Every structure is written in C-alpha cells, then in structure tokens.
Amino acid sequence: MSAAKLHEEITACTICAEHLPLGPRPVVQFSENSRVLIIGQAPGTKVHASGVPWDDDSGDRLRGWLGSEKSDFYDADKIALMPMGFCYPGKASGGDQPPRKECAPEWHDRMLEVLPKERLTLLVGAYAQAYYLPEAKKLSMTERVRRFADYAPFFPLPHPAWRSAIWMRKNPWFEEDVLPELRRQVDALLT
C-alpha cells in the first residue's frame, strides 16, 4: 500500500470515537522517504485544533533538541511523526489521558512497512518507550535516556513538556552528551 493511501486511511479512522471527548482527528505525518521517525504520545488540544503534529510548546522544545527548523520538521519526506495515540485522548488530573491503546496495534506496523528500513526512530516519552523497548521497562526514564546508545536504531528521549526543563536542570548530561549525538544522527540522515 502506498504511504498516501495509508495516510488517507489513518486520518479517516474512527476506531475509538466513542471514547474521544473532542471526537476523532488523527494527526500523523509520513512518506515513503521519511528517514527519521518520531514516535510521541498523543496530540494535545492545540494539536487537535490545528491538525498539525507537535504544533505546540512541546513541539518547539523538541525541534530545539533536534536543532531542526520547522521547514525540515514538517517535511514528510524527511521526518515521520507517529504518535502512540493518533487523537486527543481527553483530560486527566495533572495532564492528558494516556494515549488510546487501539492506535498502535491498528496502525504502527502498517506505517512502519512503508517507511525506509534504514531509519532513526526517536521514542519520545514513556508510552513509546514502553511499547518499543519492553525489555527496558524496569529502568527509569532517566536511565533509558542516559543509555540511549544501547537501543539503536531507537533513541529514547523524555517528553518535551514544560516539566522537561526541570528534569534537564537535574540532568545536565542530557544537553552535554545526548543532544549533540541526537543532532549528529538526525543530521546524518537528513543531509
């Protein structure tokens, strides 16, 4: 199946519509040429409203970590953006609900099939890491990120929510060691 046809199917998905407070609006970006894949959590209300992945403060932070301009970040021939849950899952105390569990089993393998085999996959946040690195589940987020080199071709990252600034102050090695290597690997695939 072509990436365009699969994209059409994903964006028309209503598999968990009854559970979505704002209704279905799957948000995803990819092409057959995407050499960097970013797997995040689920869209927030701003992204649900715009329909543009990572179109919020977290996206600004993530692009800063990558050293990526919006023009490259939103170029599907360069970067694929695939959340664990494709639609806004609703509010919970202290943030949003976890990503809906229907999306990844329904769509991820199909999407991975159309992407290039040689790619870098960024696992942004605990949900993506739990799904794709089940053997590392016992480790803390901090330890998974610190040991990023152990998981190639996956690259675990914290979620770039506002709280990440506090985490980064406690873990200065992230900016000193992890971000330069992240940028090097991303640049190697996109240039």
Side-chain angles (χ1 to χ4, degrees):
M1 171 180 298
S2 73
K5 177 68 176 149
L6 180 59
H7 189 275
E8 189 179 300
E9 285 187 27
I10 292 171
T11 56
C13 180
T14 60
I15 195 168
C16 59
E18 66 187 272
H19 304 289
L20 301 172
L22 301 181
R25 185 171 193 186
V27 179
V28 64
Q29 167 185 301
F30 63 99
S31 85
E32 290 97 343
N33 302 313
S34 308
R35 301 272 321 273
V36 174
L37 168 61
I38 300 173
I39 303 177
Q41 291 184 178
T45 54
K46 282 179 102 173
V47 171
H48 176 86
S50 72
V52 178
W54 295 99
D55 184 26
D56 55 14
D57 292 342
S58 293
D60 292 341
R61 244 175 249 103
L62 180 59
R63 285 185 290 279
W65 291 354
L66 299 174
S68 176
E69 297 295 325
K70 279 189 171 185
S71 58
D72 286 333
F73 190 81
Y74 290 117
D75 182 344
D77 282 332
K78 294 181 177 182
I79 297 178
L81 304 169
M82 176 173 76
M84 291 302 297
F86 288 74
C87 297
Y88 172 66
K91 275 276 173 232
S93 62
D96 291 339
Q97 294 279 348
R100 296 291 314 164
K101 293 187 185 292
E102 296 89 345
C103 295
E106 181 72 21
W107 299 113
H108 279 209
D109 285 345
R110 293 174 64 192
M111 203 172 133
L112 294 173
E113 285 177 21
V114 303
L115 296 176
K117 299 297 178 223
E118 291 192 26
R119 64 180 174 266
L120 174 63
T121 300
L122 310 182
L123 302 175
V124 181
Y127 296 107
Q129 291 166 26
Y131 193 83
Y132 284 96
L133 301 175
E135 72 282 359
K137 206 172 187 179
K138 294 177 184 169
L139 298 175
S140 69
M141 166 72 70
T142 299
E143 279 307 304
R144 287 190 300 268
V145 173
R146 186 188 307 269
R147 298 164 129 183
F148 71 90
D150 295 346
Y151 303 113
F154 296 110
F155 200 118
L157 294 169
H159 190 280
W162 64 270
R163 292 180 191 103
S164 64
I166 298 165
W167 181 87
M168 288 171 66
R169 280 195 294 277
K170 292 179 182 177
N171 299 284
W173 50 265
F174 179 70
E175 284 187 273
E176 295 163 8
D177 302 327
V178 177
L179 291 185
E181 181 58 20
L182 173 65
R183 290 175 184 144
R184 187 195 68 73
Q185 289 187 34
V186 169
D187 285 348
L189 290 171
L190 299 186
T191 55

